[in-house]
Each structure stands twice: as structure tokens, then as C-alpha cells.
């Protein structure tokens, strides 16, 4: 299978459709105010919660496949270029764990709404953004290591810049989110108005979340050029009854 480069493209598209589609439905249904709600707030009530949950699960699977292909891609580069730093294998394995934890977090966020199981939702969000940011740092580092065998210096700089932005935005998201909820004195945080208190912190937090989610999608999309050099084969299946010695 030589069209592996379509995998990060499909992942990018499914996440963009999920975020924007859920937001539009939530606004049309009157479940959130149009002024930049949290992504998860827009996916709290039915029918948008059903749409969000279904699409985010598909996105999590595609993201997991993308992360695994990237992991094997790095391994193949190391096998064909023994002059590469031996620490690359360790970095690659660590990146795989961070990436898969981020996938798990995304799925948890989609299946455990904030209004139903708050603690699980927050744990999922932390895994998604926290482990995802660490995954990006590892990928940015490895992009520098494997250059010029794969990738470009420009791509390495771009991934480093996105990693820095994600780190800053993740901190802003967490700090201003906590401060806004402490100052909130309204009735429904899904419909947060300027008179409810903590408005400016809330806006900073929600904008940070939307930007970091967008950067996440574009980071995964940046794998597309390198995946053009990757080919997958169908896994080999063996029937135990025919391979056993009698």
C-alpha cells in the first residue's frame, strides 16, 4: 500500500470536521453561546455529543495508526542508516508511548462528557494536550536527528515552533481555565456571558484550546511529505492448524 501519505491527511480532516461541525450544531441548537466556547462544552448535549463522540473515536483510531506508522518509519531509517545516534531508538519508543496516551486521552474526552463524569473528562484532556505536547517535542527532536536522511530542516524548525506554541498555550489553557472557573458566578458555564465573572480569563482559555487543537491537527498533517516514502504491506496470517507438526 503506497498511499500511506493519505493517513495524516485523513486524520487532519476528521478532527477539523469534528471540531467545527460540533460547534456549528451546538450553536444552532442554542446549547452554547457563539463566543468561543470550549470544544468539549460544544459537545456536551445531544445531538452534538453523539456526533462528537463518534467522530472523535474515528479520529483517535486514525491518529493511533499515524503515530504507529511514524514509529516504524523512524525504526526503518535507523536500520538503514546505522550512523544515526543510538538514542534515536529510545526517543522513538518514548514518543510512541506519549502519542498513544494522547490518543487515549482524546477518546476519553469524547466519551466522558464534562457534565457527566467530570474527573475522567479532565484526566482525558490532560492526557490529550499534555502527552500530545510531549509527543510533539520528541518528534521535533527526532526530525533534527534524522535530517538529511528524511525530512527537511524547514520541517524541523516548523515542528519545533509548533511544540513551543503548544507548550505555552497548554499552560495558558490550564491557568486561565482554573482562574475563570474560580471567578465564575453565573448559572451555566456552557453559556458564559461577560456579566458572569471571569469572562476575560474564560476567553483566553477557550481561544488557547482552539488554537492548540488546530496546531495539533497541522502537526500531524506535517507527516504527509515523509509518509510519501513509506509503503505498508498487509500483515501475514498463519493458520495454526496447518502449520503445526503432527
Amino acid at each position: 500500500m503506497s498511499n500511506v501519505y493519505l493517513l495524516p491527511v485523513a486524520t487532519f480532516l476528521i478532527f477539523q470536521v469534528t471540531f467545527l461541525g460540533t460547534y456549528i450544531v451546538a450553536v444552532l441548537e442554542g446549547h452554547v453561546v457563539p463566543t468561543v466556547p470550549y470544544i468539549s462544552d460544544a459537545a456536551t448535549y445531544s445531538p452534538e455529543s453523539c456526533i462528537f463522540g463518534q467522530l472523535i473515536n474515528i479520529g483517535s483510531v486514525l491518529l493511533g495508526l499515524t503515530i504507529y506508522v511514524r514509529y516504524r518509519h523512524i525504526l526503518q531509517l535507523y536500520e538503514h542508516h546505522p550512523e544515526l545516534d543510538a538514542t534515536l531508538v529510545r526517543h522513538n519508543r518514548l514518543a510512541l508511548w506519549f502519542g498513544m496516551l494522547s490518543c487515549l486521552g482524546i477518546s476519553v474526552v469524547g466519551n466522558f462528557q464534562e457534565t457527566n463524569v467530570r474527573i475522567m473528562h479532565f484526566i482525558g484532556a490532560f492526557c490529550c494536550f499534555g502527552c500530545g505536547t510531549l509527543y510533539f517535542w520528541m518528534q521535533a527532536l527526532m526530525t533534527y536527528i534524522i535530517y538529511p536522511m528524511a525530512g527537511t530542516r524547514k520541517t524541523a524548525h516548523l515542528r519545533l515552533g509548533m511544540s513551543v506554541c503548544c507548550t505555552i498555550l497548554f499552560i495558558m489553557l490550564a491557568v486561565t481555565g482554573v482562574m475563570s472557573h474560580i471567578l465564575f458566578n453565573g448559572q451555566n458555564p456552557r453559556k458564559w456571558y461577560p456579566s458572569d465573572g471571569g469572562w476575560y480569563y474564560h476567553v483566553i482559555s477557550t481561544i488557547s484550546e482552539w488554537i492548540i487543537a488546530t496546531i495539533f491537527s497541522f502537526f500531524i498533517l506535517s507527516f504527509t511529505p515523509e509518509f510519501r516514502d513509506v509503503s505498508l504491506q498487509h500483515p501475514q496470517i498463519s493458520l495454526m492448524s496447518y502449520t503445526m507438526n503432527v
Side-chain angles (χ1 to χ4, degrees), residues 60 63-68 92-106 127-128 130-136 138-139 216 220:
S60 297
L63 179 60
L65 291 173
T66 303
I67 290 170
Y68 180 73
N92 192 33
R93 190 179 301 112
L94 190 59
L96 176 67
W97 280 104
F98 284 141
M100 290 305 180
L101 283 174
S102 181
C103 288
L104 177 62
I106 293 173
C127 286
C128 169
C131 293
T133 300
L134 291 173
Y135 175 76
F136 294 160
M138 298 303 299
Q139 287 298 330
F216 267 45
I220 297 302

Side-chain angles (χ1 to χ4, degrees), residues 32-53:
V32 295
V33 293
T35 313
V36 201
Y38 284 110
I39 296 174
S40 54
D41 283 349
T44 298
Y45 303 112
S46 180
E48 56 269 24
S49 63
C50 305
I51 299 172
F52 183 81

Side-chain angles (χ1 to χ4, degrees), residues 52-100:
F52 183 81
Q54 180 64 48
L55 292 180
I56 210 71
N57 284 331
I58 296 174
S60 297
V61 173
L62 291 175
L63 179 60
L65 291 173
T66 303
I67 290 170
Y68 180 73
V69 170
R70 176 61 172 177
Y71 167 74
R72 294 301 301 270
H73 177 220
I74 298 294
L75 284 182
Q76 286 295 311
L77 287 173
Y78 182 76
E79 290 179 5
H80 287 82
H81 299 278
E83 69 273 16
L84 287 170
D85 194 331
T87 59
L88 180 64
V89 176
R90 185 169 63 252
H91 295 333
N92 192 33
R93 190 179 301 112
L94 190 59
L96 176 67
W97 280 104
F98 284 141
M100 290 305 180

Side-chain angles (χ1 to χ4, degrees), residues 104-119:
L104 177 62
I106 293 173
S107 181
V108 169
V109 166
N111 293 290
F112 293 85
Q113 286 79 25
E114 182 183 354
T115 53
N116 295 327
V117 192
R118 181 182 295 267
I119 184 64

Side-chain angles (χ1 to χ4, degrees), residues 150-169:
T152 63
R153 183 70 69 176
K154 181 179 179 180
T155 301
H157 294 335
L158 179 63
R159 288 175 182 165
L160 177 61
M162 287 192 285
S163 301
V164 172
C165 290
C166 283
T167 303
I168 296 173
L169 289 167

Side-chain angles (χ1 to χ4, degrees), residues 91-245:
H91 295 333
N92 192 33
R93 190 179 301 112
L94 190 59
L96 176 67
W97 280 104
F98 284 141
M100 290 305 180
L101 283 174
S102 181
C103 288
L104 177 62
I106 293 173
S107 181
V108 169
V109 166
N111 293 290
F112 293 85
Q113 286 79 25
E114 182 183 354
T115 53
N116 295 327
V117 192
R118 181 182 295 267
I119 184 64
M120 284 301 298
H121 183 86
F122 287 153
I123 291 174
F126 180 82
C127 286
C128 169
F129 293 123
C131 293
T133 300
L134 291 173
Y135 175 76
F136 294 160
W137 276 107
M138 298 303 299
Q139 287 298 330
L141 172 63
M142 289 190 295
T143 305
Y144 281 106
I145 295 176
I146 64 177
Y147 174 80
M149 293 74 160
T152 63
R153 183 70 69 176
K154 181 179 179 180
T155 301
H157 294 335
L158 179 63
R159 288 175 182 165
L160 177 61
M162 287 192 285
S163 301
V164 172
C165 290
C166 283
T167 303
I168 296 173
L169 289 167
F170 178 62
I171 296 172
M172 290 177 59
L173 166 65
V175 173
T176 56
V178 171
M179 294 178 67
S180 64
H181 278 82
I182 292 175
L183 298 174
F184 178 72
N185 54 20
Q187 298 297 322
N188 184 1
R190 256 62 62 189
K191 295 184 177 180
W192 200 312
Y193 298 101
S195 58
D196 291 334
W199 169 254
Y200 294 107
Y201 292 117
H202 171 69
V203 171
I204 293 173
S205 182
T206 55
I207 290 177
S208 298
E209 184 186 48
W210 278 94
I211 295 176
I212 195 174
T214 303
I215 294 175
F216 267 45
S217 299
F218 276 101
F219 197 106
I220 297 302
L221 187 64
S222 73
F223 289 141
T224 303
E226 289 156 283
F227 279 19
R228 290 183 182 274
D229 193 41
V230 175
S231 177
L232 292 179
Q233 296 179 352
H234 292 290
Q236 294 184 353
I237 302 297
S238 300
L239 297 177
M240 298 292 292
S241 58
Y242 288 90
T243 57
M244 292 177 60
N245 294 323

